[in-house]
Amino acid sequence: MFKKISLSAFFICVLVVMSFAQVNNFTMNYKGTVGNVKVTLSITSDWHNYQTTYTGTYYYDHVGKELSLRGVWLARLETIELTEVGDGNVVTGYFSLKGDPQKFYDVLTGTWTSLDKKRTLPVRLTKVN
C-alpha cells in the first residue's frame, strides 16, 4: 500500500513540475527594425535556477539568413541581453533590450552593438503573436 501511495505521489510531483516548466517557457515573435533595416526576431524564454535565459533567432528581412541568439534577463538593469551568433558559432554582435512587463513585452526597444563596439544601432521590435 505504501509503495502505491509513494508511486502515485511521485507521478503527481512529476506532473506538477512539468506543468510549472511549461508555464515558464514561452516564445515571443517580433517584427521591427535594427537601424533602418527591417528584421524578424523570435526568442524563447526559459526559467531555471532562479534565472531567465533566452534562445532564439533573427534575420534581416531582405536577406533571410538566420542568426542565432542567446542571452539572459538582467533584473538589476531590467534588460534582456542577447548575444548574436553567426556562422561557425562566432559572436557577431549584442542586443540590449527593454520592454514593459505590465504590457507583456509587446514592444522591445534598445540597441544592437557590433562585436568591436564601434557601431551601435537603435532597435525597435513589436510583438506579432
Side-chain angles (χ1 to χ4, degrees), residues 88-104:
N89 209 24
V90 175
V91 174
T92 53
Y94 306 96
F95 284 90
S96 181
L97 304 170
K98 287 189 177 230
D100 185 348
Q102 300 297 326
K103 296 182 180 178
F104 304 103

Side-chain angles (χ1 to χ4, degrees), residues 56 68-72 81-85 90-95:
S68 296
L69 297 169
R70 59 180 178 242
V72 296
E81 298 292 324
L82 299 170
T83 300
E84 171 190 297
V85 182
V90 175
V91 174
T92 53
Y94 306 96
F95 284 90

Side-chain angles (χ1 to χ4, degrees), residues 3-123:
K3 287 184 181 181
K4 287 183 183 180
I5 293 172
S6 295
L7 191 54
S8 295
F10 171 77
F11 282 117
I12 290 171
C13 287
V14 168
L15 289 173
V16 168
V17 168
M18 286 175 63
S19 66
F20 182 77
Q22 290 174 357
V23 169
N24 290 302
N25 295 336
F26 60 93
T27 299
M28 299 175 290
N29 298 303
Y30 294 90
K31 291 262 188 193
T33 56
V34 173
N36 293 322
V37 182
K38 292 182 181 181
V39 298
T40 300
L41 181 140
S42 178
I43 55 174
T44 300
S45 70
D46 183 25
W47 189 85
H48 61 281
N49 295 330
Y50 304 101
Q51 182 171 14
T52 301
T53 60
Y54 294 92
T55 56
T57 60
Y58 90 103
Y59 59 89
Y60 292 92
D61 292 354
H62 72 283
V63 177
K65 183 179 179 183
E66 287 188 342
L67 297 163
S68 296
L69 297 169
R70 59 180 178 242
V72 296
W73 166 253
L74 297 179
R76 71 183 185 285
L77 300 175
E78 296 183 353
T79 62
I80 299 171
E81 298 292 324
L82 299 170
T83 300
E84 171 190 297
V85 182
D87 292 335
N89 209 24
V90 175
V91 174
T92 53
Y94 306 96
F95 284 90
S96 181
L97 304 170
K98 287 189 177 230
D100 185 348
Q102 300 297 326
K103 296 182 180 178
F104 304 103
Y105 299 97
D106 287 345
V107 175
L108 297 177
T109 58
T111 58
W112 173 88
T113 304
S114 63
L115 179 63
D116 62 8
K117 296 186 170 76
K118 291 183 179 179
R119 287 187 341 168
T120 299
L121 300 171
V123 176

